[in-house]
Amino acid sequence: MDEINSRFFGNASSIHSFGQSAREVVDQARSDIAKVLNSKPSEIIFTSGGSESDNLAIKGVAEGILKQVQSLSSTRSGDDNFKPHIITSEIEHHAVLNTVKELEKERKIEATYIAPGKNGVIKAEDVERAIKPNTILVSIMYVNNEIGTVQPIREIGKLIEKINLQKQEKNKKTHTSYSVLYAPNSSRIFFHTDAVQAPEYFDLNVDYLHVDLLSLSAHKFYGPKGVGILYKRDGVKLKHQIIGGSQEYKLRAGTENVAGIAGMAAALRQVESRKSKVESISNLRDRLMTGLLKISESRINGSIEKRLSNNVNISFKNAEGESILMMLDQAGIAASSGSACTSGSLEPSHVLTAIGVKPEWSHGSIRLTLGKDTTEEEIDKVIEVMPGIIKKLRKMSPLKN
Amino acid sequence: MQYSKEVEEHFQNPRNVGEIKDADGIGEVGNLRCGDVMQVFIKIGKRQTANGKQEEYISDIKFKTLGCAAAIAASSMMTELAKGKSLDDAYKISRDDINDSLGKLPVQKYHCSILSASAIKKAIDDYRRKY
């Protein structure tokens, strides 16, 4: 702590020289991160992590629009009954899913939850079909955190851009530019993606992806825990969620986590250099998958092709996930069942349920993820110990295989 | 999940796992939807008490459980508590008896002690219905 404080002592908002050198650290980090995302530095908002970024993006857009509508309806042609519509998917992280559900419960918005295909992938045409005149936001994750399936973000982004252009054209024909301002139904649809799982493997270029908002969490790319980013395209109006000082363009009050921000920028700069390792990780992952599938009554959850290179999510019938994990842990192997955030809840994973996995399979699912330092020996150890674990548990089970 | 030493130990080395082919009573609880399925098999013996009366007791007990570590440990502990007890005493084994003997389960796993306590009651009910 002393070391960190001596390097990052000043408050980045202070005038004195300690403060100014902290400011420089934050500014440098912001422009380094902007470079990776192909954005402007002013479009980067530092947060405490992925969950906060998701909250700020979704609640920020929804409440920002509601505020606008309210102030209009108190003057004149605003629409009192306007209720914004948000589209998201059934397989989002809880930071997105529960935020949308809460806004819905508070009757601030209406929501559509898109069901994925059995392969765990959302179809762009399903998003298109769900769009209504009052849709203000689409939030679809880049890569699913449980089953690793990759969503067609660029395709959805281009689709929304096309629809926004059509809206604009239509408005030009039917309204004067003055009245457009007072017709929230014709406002632009914003596109948010929770990209927390993506940086190690996928393109984060926001223009290539055609996204307006993008959430990242530093510890998912070997940065420090407790710090993250929300990318917000110029022109997207957000209502702040943390009130106080004017940090982060008045969108996120609070003294900057200078050390965390510096660490995050350094980690993100290194991501590109690791992308060459993707192929070897994916080969190891395939070796693991093939090895484990030799166990009878086992199967992979989610698409194998459209999948993060480091993720295995596998179900064993007639063996329970947590018991498998405990036995793996005894053998020195760390895995998780469902997502780490939901362990302790008794419900089967909402992601597995959404892709149609039946309870007898979903309760026996575990997720193994590989990292940059995972070795072939480690993979072979898992393949070696797993059959014995499953056999032991099945022997104890009252159900017949 | 933070488990006690007792839970860890019973999970790694569960007691009385298996089936009794000619069981006198069988109790089955839980379902796949909630993720835990528990089966208990009991064999009933007769013995003389100190005051000369005949009593029925659990001479053998086995279980099979599909579930989390807590469910397996709770089943194992329940069979240990029940083995050798008179039927009346075994029937009185409570969820808290099991939970306490396990050095307390995490709150969200407390239902596993409820499940195993009702499994032994069901097995005894099954025996009493038949004989």
Side-chain angles (χ1 to χ4, degrees), chain A residues 320 322-323 330 363 392 396, chain B residues 3 12 32-33 65 67 69:
Chain A
E320 199 272 343
E322 193 212 71
S323 288
Q330 285 285 316
H363 283 295
K392 186 176 174 189
M396 235 187 275
Chain B
Y3 283 128
Q12 295 297 342
L32 266 179
R33 172 110 209 105
T65 292

Side-chain angles (χ1 to χ4, degrees), chain A residues 101 139 179 268 316-317 367 373 386:
Chain A
K101 281 186 182 162
S139 179
S179 66
L268 195 60
F316 300 98
K317 206 174 178 182
R367 179 183 51 152
D373 302 322
M386 193 72 91

